Amino acid sequence: APIQTFVLGANNQETVRYFPDSSGCELAENITYLGRRGVFSSTSGLQIAYLSGTESQDEPAPAYSFSSKDVTELKTSLLSTPNFKGVDILLTSPWPRDVGNFANSPGKINTKKHGSTLISDLAASLKPRYHFAALEKAYYERLPYRNHTVLQETPQHVSRFIALADVGNTSKKKYLYAFSIVPMSLMDPAELVKQPQDVTENPYRQSRKEAQKTTKALVCAEVLLHSAALVSLCAQEEPACQFFFDLNKHQGKKRPSDGKERGNSQPKQAKTPSQPTGPCWFCLASPEVEKHLVVSIGTHCYLALAKGGLLPDHVLILPIGHCQSVVDLSPEVMEEVTKYKSALKEFFRSKGKRYVLFERNYKSQHLQLQVIPVPLDCTSEDIKESFITQAREQQIDLLEIPEHSDITQVARPGTPYFYVELDTGEKLFHSIRRSFPLQFGR
C-alpha cells in the first residue's frame, strides 16, 4: 500500500484464512491487521479503539466474531484508565443497534432490527468522538449525539457515527471519509465539549435503561420469592429507573392567561434548535447536501457554491446544524458567520470586487446567506439605490437600518423578513407581512 493502512479482521468463515494471527500482524508492506480487539495509540496521542468481526452469542466466539466477553474486556481496559473521558475513534464492522434513534433517517437500514447490541453498549461506554462501521454496505452519517444528560450531568463531547458503503460500489455511495482531528488529550476542555446546533439525544441510553429495568425486575422477582414484604419497596424505587429527559417537551410551568403567577416562578428554558420538517438540502449531515459544492467547513458554519449561482463565485454561508434565520443564531455561530464575511470581503477585494449579501427568511427552511460579488466601481450608494428603486416598484418598504444597529434589534425570531447587507456594513431591511416575491434578491 502507498500509505500506512490499518484493517479490521474477518467477518465470515471464508475470510478467516487471510488473518493468520488473531492478535494482529502485518499482512503486507504498509498493511497492518489490528487484531480482534484493542486500542491503538498513535505518536500524536490519537486513541483508536477497535473490535473485529460480527456479534456471536457463543463462548468462545468463532474466529470471525466477538462475544460479550470481548466487549467487557475492551471496556474494562479503557474505563479503568484514570480520568477516562472517551476515545477519539471507534472502529467496528457491524453498525450499533438503535443508532437511528432520535436522528436523521438511515435509509433502508432498519436500525431497530439490524446491528449489534454489544456494539451499542461499547459505543455508549467508550464515548467515541467518531465511530466508523461498514458491514451494512450503506452510507449513513448520523447527526451528532450527546454523551451526557442535560441538566443532570457535566457536559461532555459529542459523538458522530459514520457508516460507509463498500469500496467501488456501482451506486456510487460514499465509501471514503476524509477528516481532520486533533487528539482529545490535546484539546482545550471548553472547546472539546462544545455542542453543535444539530446535536441529538444519545440513541443508546433508552435501550440501556430498558435492559437495566429488565435486570432489576428479575432481581425484584427473585427477592419477592423470599419476602412479600419487599413488594412496596420495589414499587417505590421503580420510578427512579424510568427517568428520561426529553428536550422536545416543554419544561417549567405555563404562565396563566390572567398574567398572575401561581406558585414559584420557573426560570425560562433555553430555546432548543429548530428541526427540519422534512429532508433539508442544507444541513451538512443530511444526505441531501450536494457536498461537491462545499468550499470550506468551520466549527459551526460552512461555505458552499450556490447550485444556481448568478455568477461563478456566488457563494452561500450556511450553519452546519439546522437553523431558520440569522436572528435564531447563537453568539458562537454568529461569530463564525462574521469571520466568513470578513474573509470573503478580503478575498473579493483582492479580485477587484465587493460583495452584496442578502437573506430571505420567507418560505425557506434553512438559513442561507447569499453572497454575490459585484465590481468594485459599483458604490454602496448605487447598490442601495438599485434595491430601494426595485422595491418601490413592487410596493415593498425596504428601509435602511442605522449603521450601529443589528438585525436582531429589528426582527423577532420566527417573523419573516428580507435583509440586505453590503461589505461596508450598511443594511436594508423589510418585514414581510403577507407575500413576497421569492426571486427579489436575485
Side-chain angles (χ1 to χ4, degrees):
I3 59 172
Q4 186 65 51
T5 306
F6 299 94
V7 301
L8 296 183
N11 289 315
N12 52 56
Q13 185 62 55
E14 291 73 34
T15 52
V16 169
R17 59 193 178 93
Y18 296 120
F19 304 90
D21 186 348
S22 62
S23 61
C25 59
E26 188 174 57
L27 301 178
E29 186 179 352
N30 271 350
I31 301 179
T32 303
Y33 164 46
L34 289 168
R36 289 188 64 171
R37 67 170 188 273
V39 180
F40 175 82
S41 297
S42 71
T43 52
S44 66
L46 197 70
Q47 197 171 47
I48 303 170
Y50 57 89
L51 186 66
S52 290
T54 55
E55 180 178 329
S56 172
Q57 301 300 319
D58 299 330
E59 282 290 1
Y64 55 88
S65 296
F66 58 85
S67 65
S68 58
K69 182 181 177 183
D70 292 306
V71 171
T72 300
E73 290 183 4
L74 181 54
K75 283 167 51 178
T76 303
S77 67
L78 284 160
L79 297 178
S80 60
T81 308
N83 302 317
F84 177 76
K85 294 179 180 177
V87 296
D88 291 301
I89 296 171
L90 173 63
L91 301 177
T92 64
S93 290
W95 288 24
R97 181 74 62 89
D98 293 325
V99 70
N101 289 351
F102 314 118
N104 46 316
S105 171
K108 295 179 180 179
I109 307 298
N110 184 344
T111 60
K112 294 191 179 298
K113 295 181 179 179
H114 291 73
S116 162
T117 52
L118 289 178
I119 296 290
S120 299
D121 181 51
L122 183 66
S125 299
L126 300 191
K127 302 171 187 175
R129 291 165 65 201
Y130 286 86
H131 179 182
F132 294 95
L135 193 63
E136 299 291 348
K137 298 183 178 181
Y139 171 68
Y140 174 49
E141 188 168 350
R142 190 201 186 280
L143 292 171
Y145 62 85
R146 58 173 65 90
N147 284 299
H148 64 277
T149 303
V150 179
L151 304 180
Q152 296 282 313
E153 299 170 329
T154 305
Q156 298 180 48
H157 61 273
V158 300
S159 293
R160 290 173 167 84
F161 173 74
I162 295 123
L164 297 172
D166 47 334
V167 177
N169 65 87
T170 55
S171 303
K172 295 185 178 179
K173 294 177 183 175
K174 191 172 180 178
Y175 61 84
L176 279 175
Y177 188 89
F179 68 115
S180 176
I181 183 171
V182 176
M184 191 186 302
S185 57
L186 302 179
M187 288 188 68
D188 175 70
E191 191 68 28
L192 179 65
V193 301
K194 278 188 175 179
Q195 305 291 297
Q197 283 198 320
D198 54 352
V199 68
T200 75
E201 288 296 322
N202 191 304
Y204 316 123
R205 183 159 287 175
Q206 195 170 23
S207 54
R208 289 181 99 196
K209 285 187 176 184
E210 287 170 357
Q212 289 169 1
K213 283 195 291 183
T214 302
T215 304
K216 286 184 179 181
L218 290 171
V219 171
C220 280
E222 189 174 338
V223 171
L224 287 171
L225 289 173
H226 297 283
S227 174
L230 289 176
V231 172
S232 60
L233 180 60
C234 283
Q236 289 168 11
E237 290 185 350
E238 203 266 344
C241 60
Q242 296 278 351
F243 181 79
F244 182 74
F245 189 86
D246 185 357
L247 275 182
N248 292 322
K249 290 185 179 178
H250 295 291
Q251 305 297 322
K253 295 181 179 178
K254 185 177 180 181
R255 185 171 178 172
S257 57
D258 59 7
K260 297 177 182 177
E261 297 288 349
R262 297 196 185 105
N264 295 330
S265 60
Q266 295 290 325
K268 187 178 180 182
Q269 297 297 314
K271 183 183 177 184
T272 56
S274 60
Q275 294 299 317
T277 54
C280 182
W281 294 94
F282 300 103
C283 287
L284 192 58
S286 169
E288 310 292 338
V289 170
E290 299 197 39
K291 292 188 170 64
H292 65 283
L293 297 174
V294 175
V295 176
S296 164
I297 302 176
T299 305
H300 306 288
C301 307
Y302 72 100
L303 195 70
L305 291 169
K307 188 176 181 181
L310 295 172
L311 296 162
D313 41 7
H314 173 178
V315 294
L316 310 178
I317 302 174
L318 306 126
I320 290 173
H322 192 76
C323 196
Q324 178 70 34
S325 69
V326 162
V327 295
D328 293 317
L329 294 180
S330 62
E332 59 268 20
V333 182
M334 194 65 224
E335 182 184 355
E336 195 164 280
V337 167
T338 303
K339 287 181 179 178
Y340 267 121
K341 288 180 189 176
S342 178
L344 287 170
K345 177 180 179 179
E346 188 177 338
F347 168 72
F348 286 131
R349 289 293 174 105
S350 73
K351 303 292 183 183
K353 300 175 184 178
R354 62 168 11 116
Y355 74 68
V356 179
L357 176 150
F358 68 82
E359 177 198 2
R360 172 176 53 80
N361 180 31
Y362 174 73
K363 294 190 177 180
S364 60
Q365 194 176 32
H366 190 109
L367 166 61
Q368 304 159 54
L369 294 178
Q370 309 273 347
V371 185
I372 298 146
V374 297
L376 201 54
D377 56 12
C378 286
T379 67
S380 59
E381 290 303 319
D382 292 336
I383 297 167
K384 285 192 293 182
E385 186 180 344
S386 296
F387 269 100
I388 291 169
T389 301
Q390 184 66 23
R392 193 179 296 123
E393 289 179 8
Q394 300 195 40
Q395 298 181 324
I396 295 169
D397 295 323
L398 199 57
L399 306 174
E400 187 163 2
I401 301 175
E403 186 177 346
H404 299 293
S405 296
D406 187 77
I407 186 173
T408 56
Q409 296 174 270
V410 295
R412 294 180 187 175
T415 56
Y417 61 82
F418 178 80
Y419 167 66
V420 183
E421 183 179 318
L422 309 185
D423 63 358
T424 55
E426 296 167 277
K427 307 174 188 76
L428 302 171
F429 176 83
H430 169 67
S431 180
I432 300 172
R433 292 178 177 83
R434 291 177 185 160
S435 60
F436 187 81
L438 298 184
Q439 301 301 324
F440 178 77
R442 295 173 66 87

